[in-house]
Amino acid sequence: KNEVEQSPQNLTAQEGEFITINCSYSVGISALHWLQQHPGGGIVSLFMLSSGKKKHGRLIATINIQEKHSSLHITASHPRDSAVYICAGSQKLVFGQGTRLTINP
Amino acid sequence: DADVTQTPRNRITKTGKRIMLECSQTKGHDRMYWYRQDPGLGLRLIYYSFDVKDINKGEISDGYSVSRQAQAKFSLSLESAIPNQTALYFCATSGGQGADYGYTFGSGTRLTVV
């Protein structure tokens, strides 16, 4: 069983919709990272969370330590948000499978 | 220049050949990693190094070796390439203090073994 599980695996939405991607993780992961991989392949680190909530522009990431659960939200989604979003835990980055997000205009 | 540079960007090689993928960084981070990405399997850790004298196997190290030549350089070798090593390979670094701790990825090396 993967230590980090994401859902959904694929998500298609219309421009402007509020997006939520979920991540559950196992015991022993003390910090969680959210990454974004664009169609060209490049990977960018979005957030690192060990507690609470972080916001950057239209992106919001939350984490619930007790429930071992994190969510990534995108407000007012835009086609340029289309990418694969990956959550990853622990010092060596144990990756979830990724969520492929497509935002249609 | 990119913070983490991988060379080559693309490579096609024949089965049985030795190949080296190189990674250099200007972040000043001590920790460096090699991952491979396969369709449907996500990213998996091959090797990691927490400083120049520290090398550790990851989840899928068989068939690979690494060398940490300096803080800024971490190379991955395939001693005898085989077709199921065809994948997208990423080098990454991590560092920073507290809330600034983060990862930086290279652009990836697309390797095809024929």
Side-chain angles (χ1 to χ4, degrees):
Chain A
K1 185 179 184 298
N2 200 0
E3 294 179 39
V4 178
E5 298 280 348
Q6 279 185 244
S7 63
Q9 290 189 13
N10 293 283
L11 179 57
T12 300
Q14 291 300 121
E15 184 173 356
E17 287 188 39
F18 181 81
I19 303 298
T20 296
I21 299 170
N22 295 300
C23 179
S24 297
Y25 58 93
S26 65
V27 175
I29 292 176
S30 59
L32 201 80
H33 298 259
W34 281 100
L35 310 170
Q36 180 191 55
Q37 185 172 26
H38 273 282
I43 299 174
V44 175
S45 179
L46 297 174
F47 297 104
M48 184 198 73
L49 290 164
S50 55
S51 65
K53 175 180 174 179
K54 286 189 176 179
K55 184 175 188 291
H56 185 258
R58 294 181 294 106
L59 300 176
I60 303 166
T62 63
I63 191 166
N64 184 316
I65 302 296
Q66 288 73 27
E67 295 185 5
K68 297 181 179 59
H69 181 268
S70 177
S71 293
L72 177 69
H73 305 286
I74 305 175
T75 63
S77 59
H78 189 276
R80 65 175 175 265
D81 297 325
S82 297
V84 176
Y85 292 85
I86 304 167
C87 65
S90 95
Q91 288 186 325
K92 304 185 294 292
L93 284 188
V94 177
F95 293 91
Q97 297 296 316
T99 295
R100 184 173 299 276
L101 174 66
T102 303
I103 304 296
N104 293 318
Chain B
D1 286 345
D3 292 325
V4 179
T5 301
Q6 290 184 233
T7 56
R9 291 294 307 273
N10 292 282
R11 180 74 181 267
I12 300 173
T13 193
K14 293 184 177 180
T15 298
K17 292 290 188 182
R18 184 178 189 276
I19 181 169
M20 179 181 289
L21 310 184
E22 301 197 34
C23 178
S24 63
Q25 54 121 341
T26 58
K27 298 289 291 184
H29 289 165
D30 287 327
R31 299 182 174 190
M32 298 187 74
Y33 312 81
W34 276 104
Y35 299 93
R36 68 176 276 177
Q37 187 175 39
D38 299 275
L41 292 179
L43 283 143
R44 293 180 291 167
L45 180 64
I46 306 171
Y47 270 95
Y48 64 101
S49 169
F50 282 178
D51 65 42
V52 175
K53 296 180 182 179
D54 176 75
I55 301 289
N56 302 280
K57 292 183 177 181
E59 180 185 354
I60 52 163
S61 59
D62 287 349
Y64 301 94
S65 63
V66 291
S67 173
R68 185 82 185 265
Q69 302 94 324
Q71 187 208 37
K73 295 184 183 295
F74 191 37
S75 58
L76 176 72
S77 294
L78 286 67
E79 299 301 325
S80 179
I82 56 177
N84 76 1
Q85 291 177 313
T86 294
L88 184 56
Y89 290 84
F90 286 98
C91 173
T93 72
S94 69
Q97 296 293 324
D100 293 327
Y101 187 86
Y103 285 80
T104 303
F105 285 80
S107 299
T109 294
R110 189 168 297 279
L111 177 66
T112 304
V113 183
V114 298

